[in-house]
Amino acid sequence: MGMNMISKGTERALDVMREVFPGMVVLALSGNYCIDKKPAAMNWINGRGKSVVAEAVVPGDVVRKVLKTTVEGLCELNLKKNFVGSAMAGSIGGFNAHAANILTAMFIATGQDPAQNVESSMCMTMMQPTNGGQDLLISVTMPSIEVGTVGGGTILAPQRAMLEMMGVAGANRASPGDNARMLARIVAAAVMAGELSLMSALAAGHLIKAHMAHNRSVPPTPSV
């Protein structure tokens, strides 16, 4: 997301300031006001990296036949769990079901900094009935998605392959920054899909059944 570039620029600015103010003492390059890799209201309010809102309308028949729940049930669960429950816990930016799961997986797969999942996964998931209550309107608001498509882990072969598959590898020469912006949108869309999936499983009472049916635990080592 350009943190190294910002750090280099800041260091150069401090060097110039030292020339003007020889007695100036620099404690450290960073004073933590950038609040990198830590939860903070500043990132939630002001944003950091890319700020994205993704939304979709899910037809009511898909909610019933595929997700095995109802529009009303999903909306009620979202309010009680993602808003009331998170507020009672004193959460900052945690008004979601499991945004961090999806975001962190995508960060690792595309060569991002996994530690930045702390602020990048801050997300507000909203659900409400639409089209006369027949369909579901779902959205995720993510103000601090920190992604880049140049440098860092994006140069590793497997991660580069993922970026190329999505058409966002490297710099966009025609419109600088567009690849990173598109990657942030892709991440937000994936998070929204993950939110819909988990919330539907919870509303339908299928979560533990799914875990038991698709358990990925390693089987016991056979005795010799």
Side-chain angles (χ1 to χ4, degrees):
M1 62 160 293
M3 280 300 295
N4 290 337
M5 182 169 58
I6 293 171
S7 296
K8 291 174 184 176
T10 302
E11 187 169 60
R12 177 58 184 145
L14 290 172
D15 290 341
V16 173
M17 292 177 69
R18 280 199 199 92
E19 295 174 2
V20 180
F21 306 103
M24 185 180 77
V25 177
V26 177
L27 290 175
L29 180 64
S30 172
N32 253 16
Y33 196 64
C34 63
I35 209 66
D36 185 36
K37 301 181 177 72
K38 291 166 280 291
M42 178 172 288
N43 291 336
W44 179 242
I45 296 169
N46 294 334
R48 179 179 168 86
K50 306 292 185 287
S51 297
V52 182
V53 176
E55 69 175 19
V57 173
V58 185
D61 61 337
V62 172
V63 174
R64 292 187 299 273
K65 297 176 183 178
V66 179
L67 302 177
K68 312 301 182 185
T69 183
T70 64
V71 171
E72 181 183 4
L74 275 172
C75 293
E76 182 180 11
L77 175 62
N78 190 64
L79 173 63
K80 301 292 177 59
K81 172 183 168 62
N82 288 340
F83 284 88
V84 176
S86 296
M88 290 177 66
S91 176
I92 297 177
F95 300 94
N96 60 82
H98 71 147
N101 275 337
I102 310 300
L103 180 135
T104 305
M106 293 198 68
F107 268 30
I108 294 171
T110 59
Q112 310 305 309
D113 186 342
Q116 288 184 321
N117 79 84
V118 177
E119 62 268 43
S120 294
S121 62
M122 291 196 297
C123 170
M124 179 182 292
T125 299
M126 300 187 70
M127 297 184 187
Q128 63 187 68
T130 189
N131 297 330
Q134 298 301 308
D135 303 324
L136 175 72
L137 174 62
I138 178 174
S139 70
V140 292
T141 301
M142 305 182 71
S144 305
I145 302 180
E146 298 168 295
V147 292
T149 60
V150 178
T154 66
I155 67 172
L156 300 174
Q159 282 72 16
R160 181 80 176 188
M162 294 298 102
L163 293 171
E164 289 175 351
M165 182 178 67
M166 295 185 288
V168 294
N172 188 317
R173 303 297 181 185
S175 183
D178 267 9
N179 284 358
R181 285 188 282 270
M182 179 57 70
L183 178 57
R185 295 187 185 106
I186 293 170
V187 169
V191 167
M192 181 173 65
E195 289 289 280
L196 180 62
S197 175
L198 177 56
M199 292 296 287
S200 297
L202 287 168
H206 293 165
L207 180 63
I208 300 302
K209 293 178 183 178
H211 271 288
M212 297 305 293
H214 306 288
N215 198 320
R216 293 177 295 176
S217 297
V218 178
T221 302
S223 58
V224 178

